[in-house]
Amino acid sequence: MIQTVIFDVDGTLLNSDQAIILALQQVLREEKNMEYPSEELIPVLGMTSENSMNLLGVPDVKHAAAKLTLYVKKNTYLMTLYPGIEDMLKKVGRKRHPYGCCYVQNTRGIQIRLYAARY
């Protein structure tokens, strides 16, 4: 029997691809003076900021990763729920299952934060 449901936020409930790609493009323009088409950046979606900057060959990975985090935050207005998520959360709530959302934040190592709620 289901007792609790936990969802990952980014890429599961929330589509943040556009916000991240635009932030990546801005950092790469500033750090490498290069333009990257969106499709070339798709492979780094889901990576930590430092891993993506390293893979893309940015010289000062830590500095660029910090910029990327800041620029993604500025682009949150571009993030949207995937279709059907709101209805699904309502259904889970009607069944009285407590649920929560978690996300991974990479600052010093990996931190997992869990937020529990009832819909």
Side-chain angles (χ1 to χ4, degrees):
M1 180 172 159
I2 297 173
Q3 295 180 354
T4 304
V5 180
I6 299 175
F7 300 98
D8 176 44
V9 175
D10 193 29
T12 304
L13 301 178
L14 189 67
N15 183 348
S16 58
D17 291 358
Q18 185 180 11
I20 294 169
I21 286 173
L22 289 174
L24 282 164
Q25 289 172 324
Q26 185 174 355
V27 170
L28 293 166
R29 266 193 303 277
E30 293 172 7
E31 297 297 315
K32 293 183 68 177
N33 198 28
M34 292 179 66
E35 294 292 329
Y36 282 75
S38 299
E39 52 275 358
E40 286 185 26
L41 299 173
I42 291 171
V44 301
L45 292 175
M47 290 183 181
T48 64
S49 297
E50 287 189 9
N51 285 347
S52 63
M53 293 295 99
N54 189 46
L55 184 68
L56 292 165
V58 175
D60 188 346
V61 169
K62 289 193 182 296
H63 176 72
K67 276 186 170 183
L68 180 60
T69 299
L70 176 67
Y71 296 161
V72 169
K73 286 180 183 178
K74 288 182 178 182
N75 292 342
T76 56
Y77 70 95
L78 297 168
M79 298 178 186
T80 57
L81 288 176
Y82 282 108
I85 294 298
E86 192 170 356
D87 289 339
M88 183 269 307
L89 291 174
K90 287 177 183 177
K91 287 178 186 174
V92 170
R94 280 196 297 271
K95 293 190 180 273
R96 303 265 185 228
H97 296 307
Y99 66 88
C101 298
C102 67
Y103 68 94
V104 175
Q105 175 183 350
N106 192 355
T107 52
R108 290 186 187 149
I110 294 178
Q111 300 174 4
I112 297 176
R113 302 198 187 269
L114 176 65
Y115 296 93
R118 280 195 185 269
Y119 201 85

